[in-house]
């Protein structure tokens, strides 16, 4: 039975829809629409499409459905909706269920674009948002109200790597009937146990570890069938944030190797973070290190520290000099990629934020985010050490 398979088997086979040609690799159904046998058949499908019937690629497509079924099976949710980018997933999940007057509690330490949606977009439509320190359970407890509709956070924050206790926050949220939406990018589908911990809706930017090879933007919203088909799909199919069939095919290929890639990248990140911390020349932030404030929680929640670490070299000048001396690491702003990537958040991904907000979030001038790729970890360590000088 497909549902009894372990994750690695599901990642390769789950949800395949084979055409009459019996292709081995998943087919790319590069079509915007679908032909009906009769006018009556068209009418019937618009009234209610069957499980394997499609209408228009903005609503759904067989290649996209394969990706949705496979990633939902890996995460352990009933269903999923694939989106054009990670941000389309974050915006879609929130906007599909919120209305003017609703209250949201969100962690403050967020990816810049997530913060934009919560701070600038939702509030423009009359949603009230309270921001809290995501690592402070007392702050969550104080902020969540009987009328709170949604609780939102990144399970590991980008780029400061603060880890949120999914179960504890979900328990507080559920006591008031709020829906828990987790942006789980840094935890990755490989190390995620978010469903068991109480997350109701899980979001991934597929651009990151799912593709993992820097090719395409994509995202996915995962949750119950009711939520995905009853709340998310109507919103997404009418507002246009769906994933393209070609992207879905890339993501299916990505899922086949994701577990091997992510485990290797996380092992390298652990090795490099430990070695740099032992050198003692700069501050190393990595949830897999014993001195990380949420180290024990990370190990209980994920069993690994993830594929991203951060270092702080004290100043913008020192950070830029280090970035410019690296030979293997590329200066870019993706993460989870086969290629190791360094990012200076203060001047790029989080540039938009004012100086006070950056400091409040821990985005210091000397902070460098390092996404560890698939190169030899000792080559990466040597590259970093040479650049640190
Ligand atoms: C990258 C990222 C996103 C956005 O994903 P895109 O695919 O770039 O739109 C959202 N949340 C987190 C935590 C991310 O790292």
């Amino acid at each position: 039975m497909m549902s009894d398979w372990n994750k690695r088997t599901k990642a390769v086979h789950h949800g395949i829809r084979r055409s009459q040609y019996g292709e081995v690799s998943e087919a790319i159904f590069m079509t915007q629409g679908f032909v009906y046998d009769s006018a009556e058949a068209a009418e019937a499908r618009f009234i209610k499409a069957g499980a394997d019937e499609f209408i228009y690629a903005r609503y759904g497509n067989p290649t996209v459905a394969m990706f949705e079924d496979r990633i939902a099976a890996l995460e352990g949710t009933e269903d999923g909706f694939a989106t054009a980018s990670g941000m389309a997933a974050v915006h879609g999940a929130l906007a599909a269920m919120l209305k003017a007057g609703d209250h949201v509690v969100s962690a403050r330490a967020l990816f810049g674009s997530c913060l934009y949606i919560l701070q600038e977009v939702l509030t423009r439509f009359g949603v009230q948002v309270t921001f809290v320190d995501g690592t402070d359970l007392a702050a969550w407890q104080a902020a969540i109200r009987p009328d709170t509709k949604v609780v939102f956070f990144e399970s590991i924050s980008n780029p400061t790597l603060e880890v949120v206790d999914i179960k504890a926050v979900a328990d507080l949220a559920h006591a008031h009937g709020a829906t828990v939406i987790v942006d789980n990018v840094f935890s990755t589908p490989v190390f995620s146990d978010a469903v068991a911990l109480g997350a109701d809706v899980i979001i991934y930017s597929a651009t990151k570890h799912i593709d993992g090879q820097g090719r395409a933007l994509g995202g996915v919203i995962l949750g119950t069938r009711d939520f995905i088909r009853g709340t998310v799909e109507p919103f997404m199919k009418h507002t246009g944030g769906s994933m393209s069939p070609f992207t879905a095919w890339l993501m299916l290929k990505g899922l086949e190797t994701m577990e091997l890639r992510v485990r290797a990248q996380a092992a390298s990140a652990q090795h490099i973070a430990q070695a740099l911390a032992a050198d003692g020349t700069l501050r190393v932030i990595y949830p897999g290190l014993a001195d990380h404030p949420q180290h024990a929680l990370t190990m209980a929640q994920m069993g690994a520290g993830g594929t991203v670490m951060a270092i702080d070299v004290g100043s913008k000048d020192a950070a830029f000099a280090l970035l410019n001396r690296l030979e293997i690491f590329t200066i870019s702003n993706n993460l989870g990629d086969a290629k190791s990537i360094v990012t200076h958040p203060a001047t790029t991904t989080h540039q938009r934020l004012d100086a006070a907000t950056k400091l409040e979030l821990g985005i210091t001038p000397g902070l460098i985010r390092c996404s560890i790729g698939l190169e030899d970890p000792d080559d990466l360590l040597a590259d970093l050490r040479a650049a640190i000088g």
Side-chain angles (χ1 to χ4, degrees):
M1 276 277 289
M2 215 150 70
S3 55
D4 296 332
W5 291 345
N6 290 309
K7 271 194 177 185
R8 277 176 61 174
T9 309
K10 286 182 180 159
V12 178
H13 291 289
H14 189 96
I16 194 156
R17 289 169 154 83
R18 261 194 190 110
S19 81
Q20 71 273 32
Y21 299 112
E23 65 279 355
V24 173
S25 173
E26 293 77 358
I28 309 176
F29 290 95
M30 206 72 215
T31 178
Q32 51 66 37
F34 302 84
V35 175
Y36 314 101
D37 290 339
S38 65
E40 289 78 8
E43 181 189 34
R45 201 171 295 182
F46 269 79
I47 294 170
K48 185 159 178 41
D52 216 20
E53 291 180 343
F54 299 91
I55 293 173
Y56 194 62
R58 178 151 44 72
Y59 298 19
N61 167 287
T63 313
V64 177
M66 287 192 255
F67 170 67
E68 291 171 344
D69 289 352
R70 191 168 297 176
I71 181 71
L74 290 176
E75 192 68 32
T77 59
E78 289 174 4
D79 213 338
F81 193 93
T83 57
S85 68
M87 288 323 303
V90 172
H91 176 254
L94 291 165
M97 66 172 295
L98 291 169
K99 62 178 187 319
D102 283 346
H103 180 239
V104 175
V105 182
S106 171
R108 191 177 289 123
L110 297 176
F111 177 55
S113 300
C114 293
L115 196 60
Y116 179 83
I117 288 177
L118 285 144
Q119 212 165 32
E120 313 281 336
V121 180
L122 294 180
T123 50
R124 202 142 47 75
F125 291 89
V127 174
Q128 299 172 51
V129 184
T130 306
F131 289 100
V132 297
D133 172 349
T135 64
D136 182 351
L137 287 178
W140 284 108
Q141 182 152 31
I144 298 169
R145 317 190 305 224
D147 67 332
T148 300
K149 190 93 180 283
V150 167
V151 162
F152 180 84
F153 57 90
E154 294 172 8
S155 51
I156 305 183
S157 68
N158 180 358
T160 48
L161 307 177
E162 292 177 9
V163 183
V164 175
D165 187 333
I166 300 177
K167 179 161 191 327
V169 175
D171 285 349
L172 291 172
H174 291 157
H176 291 296
T179 299
V180 178
I181 305 183
V182 180
D183 178 335
N184 217 25
V185 168
F186 278 57
S187 296
T188 82
V190 173
F191 297 124
S192 170
D193 200 16
V195 172
L197 296 171
D200 300 303
V201 179
I202 298 147
I203 290 166
Y204 288 106
S205 161
T207 316
K208 312 294 168 53
H209 304 85
I210 294 175
D211 176 19
Q213 290 149 90
R215 301 168 297 191
L217 286 173
V220 68
I221 306 167
L222 298 159
T224 63
R225 183 145 298 129
D226 263 8
F227 180 73
I228 297 299
R229 296 301 151 198
T231 302
V232 171
E233 185 190 293
F235 181 85
M236 293 306 298
K237 81 180 188 186
H238 294 304
T239 55
S242 308
M243 180 180 274
S244 101
F246 184 68
T247 297
W249 179 79
L250 289 173
M251 298 308 175
L252 281 162
K253 295 293 108 185
L255 284 181
E256 292 183 345
T257 57
M258 177 178 66
E259 166 121 8
L260 299 177
R261 286 185 283 104
V262 167
R263 286 197 189 277
Q265 288 170 244
S268 292
Q270 181 76 38
H271 173 71
I272 293 164
Q274 265 169 229
L276 289 183
D279 290 350
T281 51
L282 43 73
R283 181 160 169 246
V284 182
I285 305 163
Y286 181 63
L289 291 181
D291 72 351
H292 186 281
Q294 293 93 40
H295 173 67
L297 169 66
T298 306
M299 288 302 140
Q301 195 159 284
M302 289 168 59
T307 66
V308 181
M309 51 178 269
I311 54 179
D312 197 326
V313 294
S315 70
K316 177 185 165 186
D317 285 350
F320 274 30
L322 191 155
L323 257 56
N324 291 334
R325 279 195 295 265
L326 287 163
E327 290 183 352
I328 301 173
F329 281 84
T330 49
I331 304 171
S332 189
N333 36 260
N334 192 14
L335 60 94
D337 198 276
K339 291 181 172 58
S340 290
I341 291 172
V342 279
T343 311
H344 185 247
T347 54
T348 60
T349 53
H350 292 69
Q351 188 186 84
R352 192 181 65 79
L353 307 179
D354 59 46
T357 310
K358 279 180 199 162
L359 284 187
E360 191 182 17
L361 296 182
I363 301 167
T364 50
L367 188 77
I368 298 172
R369 189 183 79 189
C370 309
S371 169
I372 305 301
L374 283 172
E375 303 92 339
D376 186 293
D378 287 321
D379 290 344
L380 294 174
L381 182 57
D383 196 30
L384 282 168
R385 278 179 171 153
I388 290 162

